[in-house]
Amino acid sequence: MKKKFMLLALIVLGSVSAFAEETPVLELKQTVVTSDSFGTSVRETTKNMTVVNAKEIKEKGAKTIADALRGVPGVVVREMDGSSPTIDLRGSGATAQFNTVILLDGIPVSGLAGFNLNSVPVEEISKIEVLQGAGAVMYGDGAIGGVVNIITKAPTNKTVYGGAGLEVGSWGTLRENVHLGGKVGDKLLLNASYSGSTSKDYRDRSPQYENKKDKTDSLWLRGKYLLDNGSIAINYNHSEDKDYYTGSLSKEQFDKNPRQAGSWSGYTYGINDIVNAKYNQKINDKIDIFLTAGYYHNKDKFQNNSTSEYFLRPEVKYTYAKDSYVTLGLDYRDGKRDFKDDVFVNGVSQKAPDDKRESFAGYITNKSTFGKWQFTQGYRREKVKYEYSSKVYNPITWQLSEVKPQSADYASNDSFEIGVNYLYSDTGNVFFNYTRALRTPTIQDAGAWYGPVKTQKNDIFEIGLRDAYKNTSIATSVFYINSKNEIYYDKTNPFSSNNQNFDGKVRRIGAQLSMAHYFDNLTLRERVSYIVPKVTSGTYDGKEFAGVSRWTVNAGATYKFTKGLTANVDAYYQSNAYAEDDFDNYFSKGNNYITVDANLSYAFENGIELYTGVSNLFDKKYADAVTSTRSSWGAGPRKVYYPANGRSVYAGIKYTF
């Protein structure tokens, strides 16, 4: 079978004589804003940067942000029982949610409480910028693994434009979207859009939710006013997301029928309102200013609490020589979570204390260019303050016996970075980057903490290369990460489960490779990442860090049969890993898998497009997440599984004008 596959690949490659040499160069020249708010090209970034644009999202038939990020080297996306996807950059494992800063149009939404990424429809996304192993100077506390910036579609400078789409799929899935935009006068650009979806999901529901459907609605309003040397933009998003879930399965249940209802059930219901505003202005040839402000509010109707956060970031860029500049910035965040329901402490009702998080930081970055050499430096000082409460339960009755108000103050969180970039040709560059990144315990961590509290410190070293040769683009790097006081969730003790600091160090060594080959009608992609996460001292010395697969691989192809007819296929491989909380490697590794997605589309010249596709073509059975329990009750210590979706099919129609 392998020989036949290789022979077919050689025949396809040999039959193509025309090359698309321009595309790889354009990839390196595209502008990114996550590592520099004022914008810089990928080629001139001394950091590991990957861009997933709207064209790629469409070609691979992605339905969610999780789908869009699949295959990006160094990125693993986990979805536990339909919850918001967790983006794991470079082997953070179970704590990845707090080790990755998530931005929506540059506004952080991953601070005080988790933001549901499923509430952002892929139809709204212009591109996703993934910054790995860096970002600590600009984004501070929590950027241990890196930064993911979801950039939505801005208003277009057209008189009028719009479109609509409708899609049906497996499990009673229905998706619809509509958008309309236009230009008012010479300088005001406006657009509005709506996206909605309903589905019963792959897994069976418990009897009380048997006929219920997951439902997401998202409304977007955007405006942009063009200045002579800048712009003012304001975005507003309102979304509602209701998701029914069922619990984990035992190994026997998973093997027998992964679709069956699990050990518990319930639903989440979140309502989000997000406002962000941006003002940028080029004052003269030397001075640029950029101001970002945002407000995020989430109402959790199931748990009856609300979270709100304000964000402000002013920046000034001073250019002192060609391709050389210094940037000064500040950022301020003020968040609060308000609990609406009272709690019963020893049978007496009382108000639950609110959670608060406030941070203030200043940073400076510098970039100096000398011929083909570029040197970057950055430093950040941040102050973070929490107010929260921890709960104490009676060990016999398990009733809540005490609510303890707590506070934490981290006054000297210092992050810094040093980078060197050598532009050895018109298209190629080699870069080195060192970053010191920090993470303090979040409110979620601190609420169930054990032992002394220490700041996690990661030292990250990376050497990388990017280039374009004829019809091929390549990006590769090797990295070394040394983590001290790593924050983790310890479940190895059957009588207690707590967040705490590792008493030793964790070392991650890895490599990434991304290649794309552009022919006249054919695009081939290969993406590989390899990581070895080891605990190098302390209680778990010599053990492999839990929940991290060593290998992830993506191979894909897009072929244009005619001007309008396009086909795409992607295969994904993920190797075995220990359960996400199995830090002493008590259980064996498992859950390696290969899945295949395929889709076909035809675009007519009148703006109508028809498409169809299948996800998990061969109905591979695997788990999105595997955890464990050490309890001696019932079945005893065991692994538990959260099944991933089986095969699904979909078909849809779009119209744009």
mmCIF file of all heavy atoms in Angstrom, residues 613-646:
data_model
loop_
_atom_site.group_PDB
_atom_site.id
_atom_site.type_symbol
_atom_site.label_atom_id
_atom_site.label_comp_id
_atom_site.label_asym_id
_atom_site.label_seq_id
_atom_site.Cartn_x
_atom_site.Cartn_y
_atom_site.Cartn_z
ATOM 1 N N GLY A 613 -17.991 18.020 2.219
ATOM 2 C CA GLY A 613 -16.784 17.444 2.795
ATOM 3 C C GLY A 613 -17.098 16.422 3.861
ATOM 4 O O GLY A 613 -18.264 16.209 4.239
ATOM 5 N N VAL A 614 -16.044 15.782 4.343
ATOM 6 C CA VAL A 614 -16.159 14.785 5.399
ATOM 7 C C VAL A 614 -14.983 14.960 6.356
ATOM 8 O O VAL A 614 -13.846 15.132 5.922
ATOM 9 C CB VAL A 614 -16.209 13.352 4.820
ATOM 10 C CG1 VAL A 614 -14.999 13.076 3.939
ATOM 11 C CG2 VAL A 614 -16.303 12.318 5.933
ATOM 12 N N SER A 615 -15.279 14.944 7.628
ATOM 13 C CA SER A 615 -14.252 14.995 8.664
ATOM 14 C C SER A 615 -14.112 13.615 9.291
ATOM 15 O O SER A 615 -15.099 12.893 9.463
ATOM 16 C CB SER A 615 -14.624 16.020 9.747
ATOM 17 O OG SER A 615 -14.772 17.311 9.197
ATOM 18 N N ASN A 616 -12.878 13.245 9.625
ATOM 19 C CA ASN A 616 -12.582 11.905 10.152
ATOM 20 C C ASN A 616 -13.135 10.846 9.204
ATOM 21 O O ASN A 616 -13.979 10.016 9.560
ATOM 22 C CB ASN A 616 -13.150 11.737 11.558
ATOM 23 C CG ASN A 616 -12.564 10.541 12.289
ATOM 24 O OD1 ASN A 616 -11.764 9.776 11.733
ATOM 25 N ND2 ASN A 616 -12.963 10.361 13.540
ATOM 26 N N LEU A 617 -12.622 10.898 7.994
ATOM 27 C CA LEU A 617 -13.129 10.092 6.877
ATOM 28 C C LEU A 617 -13.262 8.616 7.218
ATOM 29 O O LEU A 617 -14.246 7.962 6.850
ATOM 30 C CB LEU A 617 -12.200 10.276 5.670
ATOM 31 C CG LEU A 617 -12.493 9.457 4.425
ATOM 32 C CD1 LEU A 617 -13.850 9.817 3.845
ATOM 33 C CD2 LEU A 617 -11.389 9.672 3.381
ATOM 34 N N PHE A 618 -12.281 8.058 7.923
ATOM 35 C CA PHE A 618 -12.276 6.620 8.202
ATOM 36 C C PHE A 618 -12.842 6.295 9.584
ATOM 37 O O PHE A 618 -12.650 5.191 10.087
ATOM 38 C CB PHE A 618 -10.862 6.066 8.043
ATOM 39 C CG PHE A 618 -10.308 6.261 6.654
ATOM 40 C CD1 PHE A 618 -9.320 7.206 6.413
ATOM 41 C CD2 PHE A 618 -10.806 5.532 5.589
ATOM 42 C CE1 PHE A 618 -8.814 7.402 5.142
ATOM 43 C CE2 PHE A 618 -10.308 5.721 4.306
ATOM 44 C CZ PHE A 618 -9.315 6.655 4.076
ATOM 45 N N ASP A 619 -13.533 7.264 10.191
ATOM 46 C CA ASP A 619 -14.233 7.066 11.461
ATOM 47 C C ASP A 619 -13.288 6.513 12.538
ATOM 48 O O ASP A 619 -13.627 5.572 13.267
ATOM 49 C CB ASP A 619 -15.425 6.122 11.268
ATOM 50 C CG ASP A 619 -16.476 6.289 12.348
ATOM 51 O OD1 ASP A 619 -16.486 7.353 12.999
ATOM 52 O OD2 ASP A 619 -17.269 5.353 12.556
ATOM 53 N N LYS A 620 -12.113 7.134 12.649
ATOM 54 C CA LYS A 620 -11.131 6.707 13.630
ATOM 55 C C LYS A 620 -11.625 6.993 15.043
ATOM 56 O O LYS A 620 -12.111 8.078 15.337
ATOM 57 C CB LYS A 620 -9.800 7.427 13.393
ATOM 58 C CG LYS A 620 -8.719 7.130 14.417
ATOM 59 C CD LYS A 620 -8.292 5.686 14.381
ATOM 60 C CE LYS A 620 -7.184 5.422 15.395
ATOM 61 N NZ LYS A 620 -6.773 4.002 15.410
ATOM 62 N N LYS A 621 -11.467 6.022 15.929
ATOM 63 C CA LYS A 621 -11.880 6.168 17.321
ATOM 64 C C LYS A 621 -10.680 6.599 18.163
ATOM 65 O O LYS A 621 -9.686 5.883 18.269
ATOM 66 C CB LYS A 621 -12.452 4.849 17.836
ATOM 67 C CG LYS A 621 -12.954 4.906 19.273
ATOM 68 C CD LYS A 621 -13.761 3.680 19.618
ATOM 69 C CE LYS A 621 -12.924 2.416 19.507
ATOM 70 N NZ LYS A 621 -13.696 1.210 19.869
ATOM 71 N N TYR A 622 -10.771 7.797 18.734
ATOM 72 C CA TYR A 622 -9.706 8.294 19.606
ATOM 73 C C TYR A 622 -10.314 9.274 20.596
ATOM 74 O O TYR A 622 -11.505 9.588 20.532
ATOM 75 C CB TYR A 622 -8.590 8.960 18.787
ATOM 76 C CG TYR A 622 -8.987 10.244 18.103
ATOM 77 C CD1 TYR A 622 -8.641 11.482 18.634
ATOM 78 C CD2 TYR A 622 -9.701 10.237 16.902
ATOM 79 C CE1 TYR A 622 -9.005 12.663 17.998
ATOM 80 C CE2 TYR A 622 -10.064 11.406 16.269
ATOM 81 C CZ TYR A 622 -9.716 12.609 16.815
ATOM 82 O OH TYR A 622 -10.074 13.785 16.189
ATOM 83 N N ALA A 623 -9.512 9.775 21.518
ATOM 84 C CA ALA A 623 -10.003 10.659 22.570
ATOM 85 C C ALA A 623 -9.413 12.051 22.414
ATOM 86 O O ALA A 623 -8.229 12.205 22.105
ATOM 87 C CB ALA A 623 -9.672 10.097 23.945
ATOM 88 N N ASP A 624 -10.244 13.078 22.622
ATOM 89 C CA ASP A 624 -9.743 14.452 22.662
ATOM 90 C C ASP A 624 -8.874 14.671 23.892
ATOM 91 O O ASP A 624 -7.924 15.458 23.860
ATOM 92 C CB ASP A 624 -10.911 15.440 22.694
ATOM 93 C CG ASP A 624 -11.350 15.850 21.303
ATOM 94 O OD1 ASP A 624 -10.497 15.891 20.401
ATOM 95 O OD2 ASP A 624 -12.541 16.121 21.113
ATOM 96 N N ALA A 625 -9.241 14.028 24.995
ATOM 97 C CA ALA A 625 -8.478 14.170 26.239
ATOM 98 C C ALA A 625 -8.548 12.866 27.013
ATOM 99 O O ALA A 625 -9.570 12.160 26.991
ATOM 100 C CB ALA A 625 -9.027 15.316 27.079
ATOM 101 N N VAL A 626 -7.446 12.531 27.693
ATOM 102 C CA VAL A 626 -7.371 11.355 28.561
ATOM 103 C C VAL A 626 -6.835 11.817 29.906
ATOM 104 O O VAL A 626 -5.763 12.419 29.985
ATOM 105 C CB VAL A 626 -6.454 10.264 27.980
ATOM 106 C CG1 VAL A 626 -6.404 9.065 28.923
ATOM 107 C CG2 VAL A 626 -6.916 9.841 26.595
ATOM 108 N N THR A 627 -7.600 11.575 30.965
ATOM 109 C CA THR A 627 -7.155 11.907 32.310
ATOM 110 C C THR A 627 -7.156 10.629 33.143
ATOM 111 O O THR A 627 -7.395 9.537 32.622
ATOM 112 C CB THR A 627 -8.051 12.982 32.950
ATOM 113 O OG1 THR A 627 -9.379 12.474 33.073
ATOM 114 C CG2 THR A 627 -8.089 14.238 32.084
ATOM 115 N N SER A 628 -6.898 10.754 34.439
ATOM 116 C CA SER A 628 -6.829 9.562 35.279
ATOM 117 C C SER A 628 -7.415 9.859 36.649
ATOM 118 O O SER A 628 -7.648 11.011 37.022
ATOM 119 C CB SER A 628 -5.375 9.096 35.428
ATOM 120 O OG SER A 628 -4.611 10.031 36.166
ATOM 121 N N THR A 629 -7.666 8.822 37.395
ATOM 122 C CA THR A 629 -8.088 8.929 38.785
ATOM 123 C C THR A 629 -7.319 7.898 39.594
ATOM 124 O O THR A 629 -7.064 6.788 39.127
ATOM 125 C CB THR A 629 -9.600 8.723 38.948
ATOM 126 O OG1 THR A 629 -9.927 8.742 40.340
ATOM 127 C CG2 THR A 629 -10.045 7.392 38.355
ATOM 128 N N ARG A 630 -6.922 8.261 40.805
ATOM 129 C CA ARG A 630 -6.195 7.334 41.692
ATOM 130 C C ARG A 630 -7.081 6.823 42.820
ATOM 131 O O ARG A 630 -6.590 6.195 43.754
ATOM 132 C CB ARG A 630 -4.972 8.042 42.283
ATOM 133 C CG ARG A 630 -3.981 8.536 41.242
ATOM 134 C CD ARG A 630 -3.447 7.386 40.383
ATOM 135 N NE ARG A 630 -2.585 7.870 39.337
ATOM 136 C CZ ARG A 630 -1.274 8.058 39.479
ATOM 137 N NH1 ARG A 630 -0.691 7.813 40.627
ATOM 138 N NH2 ARG A 630 -0.552 8.491 38.467
ATOM 139 N N SER A 631 -8.354 7.116 42.745
ATOM 140 C CA SER A 631 -9.263 6.704 43.800
ATOM 141 C C SER A 631 -9.255 5.187 43.970
ATOM 142 O O SER A 631 -9.241 4.433 42.991
ATOM 143 C CB SER A 631 -10.682 7.182 43.480
ATOM 144 O OG SER A 631 -11.608 6.645 44.397
ATOM 145 N N SER A 632 -9.264 4.742 45.221
ATOM 146 C CA SER A 632 -9.302 3.302 45.504
ATOM 147 C C SER A 632 -10.727 2.774 45.560
ATOM 148 O O SER A 632 -10.948 1.577 45.720
ATOM 149 C CB SER A 632 -8.591 3.019 46.833
ATOM 150 O OG SER A 632 -9.193 3.764 47.886
ATOM 151 N N TRP A 633 -11.724 3.680 45.427
ATOM 152 C CA TRP A 633 -13.117 3.262 45.458
ATOM 153 C C TRP A 633 -13.535 2.704 44.098
ATOM 154 O O TRP A 633 -12.976 3.041 43.068
ATOM 155 C CB TRP A 633 -14.019 4.441 45.814
ATOM 156 C CG TRP A 633 -13.740 5.010 47.179
ATOM 157 C CD1 TRP A 633 -12.892 6.021 47.490
ATOM 158 C CD2 TRP A 633 -14.302 4.570 48.425
ATOM 159 N NE1 TRP A 633 -12.884 6.261 48.842
ATOM 160 C CE2 TRP A 633 -13.743 5.384 49.445
ATOM 161 C CE3 TRP A 633 -15.220 3.567 48.768
ATOM 162 C CZ2 TRP A 633 -14.075 5.228 50.787
ATOM 163 C CZ3 TRP A 633 -15.563 3.421 50.096
ATOM 164 C CH2 TRP A 633 -14.998 4.241 51.100
ATOM 165 N N GLY A 634 -14.556 1.867 44.100
ATOM 166 C CA GLY A 634 -15.127 1.357 42.854
ATOM 167 C C GLY A 634 -14.115 0.598 42.021
ATOM 168 O O GLY A 634 -13.529 -0.385 42.464
ATOM 169 N N ALA A 635 -13.915 1.066 40.797
ATOM 170 C CA ALA A 635 -13.021 0.374 39.858
ATOM 171 C C ALA A 635 -11.547 0.605 40.175
ATOM 172 O O ALA A 635 -10.682 0.013 39.538
ATOM 173 C CB ALA A 635 -13.314 0.830 38.436
ATOM 174 N N GLY A 636 -11.247 1.495 41.125
ATOM 175 C CA GLY A 636 -9.857 1.726 41.496
ATOM 176 C C GLY A 636 -9.154 2.662 40.531
ATOM 177 O O GLY A 636 -9.781 3.285 39.666
ATOM 178 N N PRO A 637 -7.824 2.778 40.645
ATOM 179 C CA PRO A 637 -7.060 3.682 39.766
ATOM 180 C C PRO A 637 -7.265 3.315 38.295
ATOM 181 O O PRO A 637 -7.192 2.141 37.927
ATOM 182 C CB PRO A 637 -5.609 3.456 40.216
ATOM 183 C CG PRO A 637 -5.714 2.938 41.608
ATOM 184 C CD PRO A 637 -6.963 2.122 41.656
ATOM 185 N N ARG A 638 -7.492 4.324 37.468
ATOM 186 C CA ARG A 638 -7.793 4.038 36.063
ATOM 187 C C ARG A 638 -7.677 5.314 35.224
ATOM 188 O O ARG A 638 -7.694 6.423 35.756
ATOM 189 C CB ARG A 638 -9.201 3.462 35.916
ATOM 190 C CG ARG A 638 -10.283 4.420 36.398
ATOM 191 C CD ARG A 638 -11.606 3.702 36.645
ATOM 192 N NE ARG A 638 -12.647 4.605 37.104
ATOM 193 C CZ ARG A 638 -12.803 4.999 38.367
ATOM 194 N NH1 ARG A 638 -11.948 4.576 39.299
ATOM 195 N NH2 ARG A 638 -13.789 5.801 38.709
ATOM 196 N N LYS A 639 -7.578 5.128 33.922
ATOM 197 C CA LYS A 639 -7.659 6.243 32.978
ATOM 198 C C LYS A 639 -9.108 6.412 32.529
ATOM 199 O O LYS A 639 -9.852 5.429 32.432
ATOM 200 C CB LYS A 639 -6.758 5.996 31.766
ATOM 201 C CG LYS A 639 -5.273 6.033 32.090
ATOM 202 C CD LYS A 639 -4.423 6.156 30.842
ATOM 203 C CE LYS A 639 -4.412 4.897 30.025
ATOM 204 N NZ LYS A 639 -3.436 4.972 28.892
ATOM 205 N N VAL A 640 -9.466 7.667 32.243
ATOM 206 C CA VAL A 640 -10.813 7.942 31.742
ATOM 207 C C VAL A 640 -10.683 8.727 30.441
ATOM 208 O O VAL A 640 -9.730 9.482 30.249
ATOM 209 C CB VAL A 640 -11.672 8.713 32.766
ATOM 210 C CG1 VAL A 640 -11.937 7.848 33.987
ATOM 211 C CG2 VAL A 640 -11.005 10.008 33.175
ATOM 212 N N TYR A 641 -11.685 8.574 29.564
ATOM 213 C CA TYR A 641 -11.577 9.050 28.191
ATOM 214 C C TYR A 641 -12.724 10.004 27.848
ATOM 215 O O TYR A 641 -13.870 9.783 28.224
ATOM 216 C CB TYR A 641 -11.607 7.868 27.222
ATOM 217 C CG TYR A 641 -10.444 6.926 27.387
ATOM 218 C CD1 TYR A 641 -10.401 6.011 28.443
ATOM 219 C CD2 TYR A 641 -9.376 6.955 26.491
ATOM 220 C CE1 TYR A 641 -9.316 5.154 28.604
ATOM 221 C CE2 TYR A 641 -8.300 6.100 26.646
ATOM 222 C CZ TYR A 641 -8.275 5.212 27.698
ATOM 223 O OH TYR A 641 -7.202 4.375 27.857
ATOM 224 N N TYR A 642 -12.365 11.054 27.091
ATOM 225 C CA TYR A 642 -13.338 11.987 26.542
ATOM 226 C C TYR A 642 -13.299 11.834 25.022
ATOM 227 O O TYR A 642 -12.423 12.384 24.357
ATOM 228 C CB TYR A 642 -13.001 13.417 26.952
ATOM 229 C CG TYR A 642 -13.122 13.653 28.440
ATOM 230 C CD1 TYR A 642 -12.059 13.369 29.295
ATOM 231 C CD2 TYR A 642 -14.302 14.146 28.980
ATOM 232 C CE1 TYR A 642 -12.168 13.573 30.661
ATOM 233 C CE2 TYR A 642 -14.412 14.368 30.339
ATOM 234 C CZ TYR A 642 -13.350 14.070 31.181
ATOM 235 O OH TYR A 642 -13.466 14.282 32.534
ATOM 236 N N PRO A 643 -14.232 11.080 24.449
ATOM 237 C CA PRO A 643 -14.149 10.722 23.024
ATOM 238 C C PRO A 643 -14.195 11.934 22.096
ATOM 239 O O PRO A 643 -14.929 12.894 22.317
ATOM 240 C CB PRO A 643 -15.380 9.832 22.814
ATOM 241 C CG PRO A 643 -15.727 9.327 24.180
ATOM 242 C CD PRO A 643 -15.374 10.431 25.114
ATOM 243 N N ALA A 644 -13.401 11.851 21.028
ATOM 244 C CA ALA A 644 -13.451 12.830 19.954
ATOM 245 C C ALA A 644 -14.571 12.458 18.991
ATOM 246 O O ALA A 644 -15.122 11.351 19.037
ATOM 247 C CB ALA A 644 -12.111 12.881 19.229
ATOM 248 N N ASN A 645 -14.910 13.377 18.106
ATOM 249 C CA ASN A 645 -15.981 13.129 17.153
ATOM 250 C C ASN A 645 -15.615 12.023 16.168
ATOM 251 O O ASN A 645 -14.466 11.913 15.723
ATOM 252 C CB ASN A 645 -16.299 14.393 16.362
ATOM 253 C CG ASN A 645 -17.009 15.427 17.213
ATOM 254 O OD1 ASN A 645 -17.599 15.112 18.246
ATOM 255 N ND2 ASN A 645 -16.946 16.673 16.776
ATOM 256 N N GLY A 646 -16.602 11.229 15.811
ATOM 257 C CA GLY A 646 -16.436 10.254 14.741
ATOM 258 C C GLY A 646 -16.647 10.918 13.385
ATOM 259 O O GLY A 646 -16.605 12.139 13.253
#
